[in-house]
Amino acid sequence: MYAIRRAGRDSFYAGRWSAPQIAHTLLRGSEHIDEYVGSLDPKRAPDMDICLCGAVFVDFDRRALLYWAGDLFGSGPLRGDFVRLLTTRWPQWRLRQAALPLQEFAAALGRTPPELEQARADATLVDAGDDLFTAAWLEHQADFACVADDQAAWIAAEGVEAVRAFAERGLEAWVTVRAADGTLYDQRCFSGALGSLLRLGPRLAALAQLGGPRPGMLRPGLERDVRETLFVDEARRSVHWWQADPPWAHPGPGCAALWPGWTLELDEGGLRSHVERSGRMFAAIRMTREERLAALIGQVPRTLRGDFTALPRLVGASVPAAAPPGLPADVLSTLVALADRADE
């Protein structure tokens, strides 16, 4: 769904396959928006369907851009790079990726669609087994039961957390519980089918403590995997939550009723804020510069589909000796510069 506002009037457009194009379309800049929406189907009202895959609101009156897509620009750590690139293409605009997409687009467009009530109704309490945070590890151990000596040697050489990290590849949710006595419990799980782990209510904190503390869980590169975080503080009875890829009809606003006596707050600081809230350093989970550069070299051509005219070019930055074929030198220089700015 695309919405365009000029002189107080809104126009709406939709295209069945437009969601995967959003990142590329936005990186072409505001001057190309009219050309793109001209290829879409005009609509009398914005599409707020509960199954929407992407949305863009370009407010030319206020020079404000609101955008969201289910799969925007690769892994979570690259979202900051996307914003840096987008800022160069939309100078003097206010840019925002929606954290509560349906709710934010409805408010920006001054609409109260029935999907809002449906999203709140869908924020129901769900249950999870006691193995929510241990299933992947238990399955890994079962798979290696026939070669137990090899498993033991692997653990002896690299440590149990390194081996468990291998077993937990692809688990995108990270829950940290600060117990009343100050002990930190860190756990990972898969949460995609739930929309948000907030739907588990306070039982989530109890499940996270079943396996005991994991002080060695933090490792370099962990940021590459994490797309959802919850920080539960039992003493303060507070929950800070964040998702890199929020669902369109995020259940968050309706989940407060599932946590009676608790305060739920969207953490706009994202993964960095989650780590630092516990008194630890974000550097402990960062990707290396080389990993980040490799991710950018893989993602940017996919997003731009070989059309690098939308990419701001930087000349003079160092280019990796083993540069992949097909990328112009000035494009590589831009990606190198982005990788070098990873800690900003």
Side-chain angles (χ1 to χ4, degrees):
M1 182 270 290
Y2 276 79
I4 310 295
R5 176 171 293 168
R6 279 193 176 92
R9 299 189 62 180
D10 293 341
S11 52
F12 308 105
Y13 307 86
R16 184 174 183 180
W17 306 112
S18 61
Q21 307 278 350
I22 285 177
H24 183 196
T25 302
L26 295 183
L27 285 175
R28 296 187 68 206
S30 60
E31 64 272 24
H32 293 282
I33 288 295
D34 289 332
E35 173 190 350
Y36 181 72
V37 298
S39 68
L40 304 179
D41 298 325
K43 300 292 182 179
R44 293 184 178 181
D47 183 2
M48 296 284 188
D49 189 88
I50 210 77
C51 296
L52 202 67
C53 296
V56 174
F57 176 33
V58 185
D59 186 341
F60 283 97
D61 293 351
R62 295 181 173 85
R63 295 179 69 83
L65 172 66
L66 179 65
Y67 61 93
W68 166 82
D71 184 12
L72 186 69
F73 192 74
S75 64
L78 299 188
R79 299 307 166 86
D81 299 310
F82 178 73
V83 172
R84 293 184 186 104
L85 291 174
L86 200 61
T87 300
T88 67
R89 302 297 296 155
W90 296 72
Q92 300 180 334
W93 281 67
R94 288 185 291 108
L95 312 177
R96 177 171 174 80
Q97 178 180 344
L100 295 169
L102 170 59
Q103 293 83 354
E104 291 186 41
F105 275 87
L109 294 169
R111 303 271 173 155
T112 309
E115 289 83 0
L116 283 174
E117 186 56 37
Q118 182 179 346
R120 285 193 171 274
D122 288 343
T124 54
L125 191 66
V126 296
D127 198 8
D130 290 346
D131 64 349
L132 175 67
F133 296 109
T134 58
W137 178 229
L138 293 173
E139 181 179 348
H140 173 85
Q141 291 175 303
D143 289 343
F144 275 78
C146 58
V147 285
D149 290 344
D150 292 343
Q151 173 84 326
W154 187 5
I155 292 175
E158 300 188 29
V160 67
E161 279 296 342
V163 179
R164 186 164 179 176
F166 176 85
E168 293 182 338
R169 291 173 303 168
L171 301 186
E172 86 289 6
W174 177 5
V175 174
T176 299
V177 176
R178 180 186 282 134
D181 64 0
T183 303
L184 292 175
Y185 296 84
D186 293 289
Q187 304 290 351
R188 293 176 61 194
C189 71
F190 178 71
S191 66
L194 300 175
S196 170
L197 285 173
L198 291 171
R199 296 184 62 196
L200 272 71
R203 184 165 183 264
L204 179 70
L207 291 174
Q209 296 177 59
L210 287 178
R214 297 176 60 188
M217 196 191 86
L218 275 64
R219 57 175 176 79
L222 179 59
E223 68 161 339
R224 178 178 49 244
D225 300 332
V226 180
R227 292 172 178 260
E228 177 178 4
T229 61
L230 275 84
F231 191 97
V232 182
D233 190 319
E234 289 192 323
R236 297 184 178 181
R237 300 194 49 92
S238 64
V239 180
H240 289 82
W241 62 271
W242 162 82
Q243 283 181 258
D245 300 290
W248 168 248
H250 198 289
C255 286
L258 309 181
W259 292 75
W262 292 72
T263 299
L264 275 56
E265 183 176 340
L266 171 63
D267 193 341
E268 297 276 8
L271 184 54
R272 177 186 290 271
S273 179
H274 178 85
V275 177
E276 295 178 347
R277 192 176 299 280
S278 63
R280 295 171 289 189
M281 300 294 292
F282 190 43
I285 66 168
R286 292 305 304 264
M287 297 166 62
T288 66
R289 174 188 178 276
E290 290 70 26
E291 288 174 325
R292 194 180 200 93
L293 178 58
L296 286 166
I297 289 173
Q299 182 63 44
V300 169
R302 284 198 299 272
T303 296
L304 296 181
R305 295 171 172 79
D307 175 18
F308 298 114
T309 57
L311 187 69
R313 314 296 253 278
L314 302 176
V315 180
S318 60
V319 176
L327 286 184
D330 55 349
V331 169
L332 283 171
S333 295
T334 298
L335 303 187
V336 169
L338 282 173
D340 287 339
R341 294 178 59 187
D343 286 328
E344 292 183 7

